[in-house]
Amino acid sequence: MKKVVKFGGSSLASAEQFRKVGNIIRSDSTRKYVVPSAPGKRFAGDAKVTDMLYKCYEAAEAGEDFSGQLAAIRERYQEIIDGLELSLSLKEEFAAIEKHFRDRAGVQYAASRGEYLNGIIMSRYLDFAFVDAAEGIVFGEDGTLDSIATNRKLGELLNDLEYAVIPGFYGASADGTVHTFSRGGSDITGSLVARATKADLYENWTDVSGCLVTDPRVVENPVPIEIITYKELRELSYMGATVLHEDAIFPVRTVGIPINIRNTNRPQDKGTMIVRDTCSRSEYTITGIAGKKGFASITIEKGMMNSEIGFGRKVLQVFEENGISFEHMPSGIDTMTILAHQTEFAEHEQKVLTGIQKAVHPDSVSLEADLALIAVVGRGMKSTRGTAGRIFSALAHAHVNVKMIDQGSSELNIIIGVANDDFETAIRAIYNIFVLCRI
Ligand code: ASP
């Protein structure tokens, strides 16, 4: 049994948090490869070290004095080192960082130092080998991940080491230039390490006990999800749920390694298992509810539209030419509606309208703004009768007007469009009927 464990910033924000992490790792000898984030916030209002690094580098790049900012970052690490009573000095590391900042080594190099330094402390604290991610996570010249080379390199580096620490969030291209993933990208590193080492499980330790059925800012104390498939999670993340970096799913998904989301502050909780497939049914028919506000709909009407070959393509081409991606496209007889992000659409509104006019000569085009989309996701929906019926009766009882319905062809989700103002009421109504009433 071999596990890869990734710890998020809040799990490593202080010496006290480091100790919890140490206990978790030492309590299970199969936790072999550790991927740390940079220190996160210690309390509400505190700064994340990654953000401090971005700011510090900005000052360096502008030719301003950044010594105070760098000293504050060093202080954050020193506090951890002292709290753990380690005999470790980061003096040389900070001298090198200062020099590279002066030499304008790049903003991605700057941001990566948060994980790099935390990795050094972690490896000393655990007495595990340190493997610099710049050696194992390979980026192409264009700054995107080279997944195949990464898998090979990481495998070569780690397979001879029984235990190791590999910092998250960054890697390097062949010429040594450091590149980072987008924010929250240590999740991706963990996933890549799990794939390369053929791990049995990827544990992702954070400050919540797994994914919740819905957003706790909308529903008070939503129940946790015990088990969810990669596909379901992808649907929920796309619609706004944010437990894991979106790109973290793909590397493990291809080889079927499960991800277990766990809480560093409550290691006794089982957390959420993210798996390729499962025959375990969710207790509530649905697995999760997520949604986003801020969509606009563009409805095009034209008599005999359905028999006009190429109509849809011509309309979508107008959106493509204006660089707007569309989210959904419900259609009726002689009508077609495109849903797009409102801000994206607003920027090109008149150009799109003129473009549609020219391309398909519609009878009318009507616009509606301030719409929200809600996705009700669940592998159980396929084999359960009446799911849609329950959703719509719950919404009707809550006086929510449904403006659009779209059931994905995988029968894994039902997407509902409502007014922005009805967003919270709608989510609560759906949550209540499935989870609280279990009807
Ligand atoms: N430290 C980076 C960030 O704040 C990456 C991560 O934590 O995953 O986004």
Side-chain angles (χ1 to χ4, degrees):
M1 183 78 169
K2 206 187 306 176
K3 293 179 190 162
V4 169
V5 285
K6 179 257 166 181
F7 290 89
S10 58
S11 302
L12 299 167
S14 63
E16 193 193 340
Q17 290 299 86
F18 256 79
R19 283 190 198 282
K20 290 184 194 168
V21 168
N23 290 338
I24 289 167
I25 295 169
R26 291 190 193 105
S27 70
D28 179 349
S29 61
T30 66
R31 294 187 171 128
K32 292 181 181 287
Y33 303 111
V34 182
V35 176
S37 278
K41 295 182 184 182
R42 293 160 294 182
F43 43 82
D46 194 19
K48 287 182 174 188
V49 164
T50 308
D51 290 320
M52 295 167 84
L53 284 161
Y54 278 122
K55 281 213 185 102
C56 182
Y57 187 72
E58 211 179 284
E61 219 177 18
E64 293 164 12
D65 175 23
F66 61 91
S67 54
Q69 292 184 50
L70 199 59
I73 294 167
R74 188 164 171 193
E75 192 41 49
R76 288 287 298 265
Y77 288 103
Q78 199 56 48
E79 204 183 287
I80 296 172
I81 293 171
D82 294 344
L84 296 175
E85 295 167 37
L86 297 176
S87 65
L88 171 69
S89 165
L90 296 177
K91 195 165 168 230
E92 276 176 27
E93 302 294 347
F94 270 91
I97 292 171
E98 189 178 339
K99 180 174 180 313
H100 283 121
F101 273 33
R102 286 197 200 293
D103 296 344
R104 315 272 199 277
V107 65
Q108 301 198 19
Y109 163 81
S112 75
R113 297 304 87 185
E115 272 66 15
Y116 172 77
L117 295 166
N118 235 15
I120 292 178
I121 299 179
M122 180 64 94
S123 84
R124 180 65 69 90
Y125 178 52
L126 295 172
D127 201 16
F128 282 14
F130 175 76
V131 173
D132 189 348
E135 309 286 320
I137 307 282
V138 186
F139 281 76
E141 298 307 322
D142 62 351
T144 60
L145 176 77
D146 182 339
S147 179
I148 295 171
T150 296
N151 202 40
R152 187 174 34 81
K153 271 270 201 126
L154 269 182
E156 282 165 14
L157 284 168
L158 294 173
N159 286 339
D160 291 338
L161 295 170
E162 209 187 347
Y163 294 96
V165 173
I166 315 99
F169 193 38
Y170 72 94
S173 46
D175 64 357
T177 308
V178 170
H179 296 275
T180 55
F181 295 114
S182 57
R183 295 301 302 267
S186 298
D187 287 341
I188 308 171
T189 311
S191 190
L192 292 167
V193 172
R195 184 182 63 177
T197 56
K198 302 189 172 61
D200 300 283
L201 183 66
Y202 168 23
E203 286 180 346
N204 188 296
W205 291 81
T206 173
D207 52 9
V208 287
S209 293
C211 312
L212 301 171
V213 167
T214 195
D215 189 341
R217 288 165 300 186
V218 178
V219 169
E220 209 179 311
N221 281 329
V223 292
I225 300 173
E226 268 179 42
I227 182 157
I228 184 170
T229 64
Y230 299 131
K231 274 192 198 154
E232 288 173 308
L233 186 69
R234 163 94 181 114
E235 306 255 357
L236 290 171
S237 319
Y238 185 72
M239 288 301 274
T242 54
V243 116
L244 199 69
H245 192 296
E246 249 196 288
D247 298 342
I249 298 172
F250 292 102
V252 283
R253 181 177 175 162
T254 50
V255 286
I257 301 169
I259 307 173
N260 189 192
I261 310 280
R262 300 286 295 265
N263 188 346
T264 302
N265 304 317
R266 288 186 56 86
Q268 67 276 25
D269 292 350
K270 286 197 314 205
T272 299
M273 282 298 275
I274 306 166
V275 298
R276 180 147 66 184
D277 218 344
T278 174
C279 48
S280 105
R281 298 272 298 269
S282 156
E283 231 177 294
Y284 315 107
T285 308
I286 61 160
T287 305
I289 314 161
K292 280 193 219 166
K293 289 183 181 177
F295 291 92
S297 73
I298 302 97
T299 301
I300 302 153
E301 247 190 282
K302 186 174 182 190
M304 306 302 284
M305 169 194 294
N306 272 6
S307 56
E308 197 176 319
I309 292 173
F311 191 94
R313 177 186 54 75
K314 287 179 204 157
V315 170
L316 291 181
Q317 194 166 347
V318 176
F319 282 82
E320 184 182 339
E321 280 164 4
N322 283 283
I324 303 170
S325 69
F326 74 96
E327 295 294 310
H328 289 280
M329 194 184 56
S331 63
I333 298 168
D334 298 340
T335 65
M336 169 177 175
T337 301
I338 311 280
L339 279 123
H341 286 280
Q342 195 160 325
T343 43
E344 234 176 82
F345 174 67
E347 252 181 71
H348 306 275
E349 184 185 68
Q350 295 310 314
K351 271 167 85 185
V352 173
L353 295 180
T354 323
I356 292 175
Q357 199 64 42
K358 272 199 207 149
V360 293
H361 309 291
D363 295 338
S364 69
V365 178
S366 52
L367 303 178
E368 190 167 354
D370 303 323
L371 297 174
L373 293 177
I374 296 169
V376 184
V377 175
R379 59 188 181 278
M381 291 186 337
K382 205 170 183 156
S383 49
T384 316
R385 265 181 300 131
T387 312
R390 274 180 281 169
I391 295 174
F392 297 117
S393 77
L395 293 175
H397 277 104
H399 304 286
V400 172
N401 181 22
V402 176
K403 290 176 175 287
M404 186 212 75
I405 305 162
D406 191 355
Q407 172 163 21
S409 23
S410 57
E411 279 190 67
L412 198 63
N413 67 24
I414 295 178
I415 313 252
I416 300 142
V418 300
N420 273 350
D421 289 345
D422 284 336
F423 180 72
E424 284 83 6
T425 314
I427 290 189
R428 281 184 211 119
I430 299 168
Y431 180 85
N432 287 350
I433 196 130
F434 285 101
V435 180
L436 297 186
C437 309
R438 292 200 202 182
I439 300 172

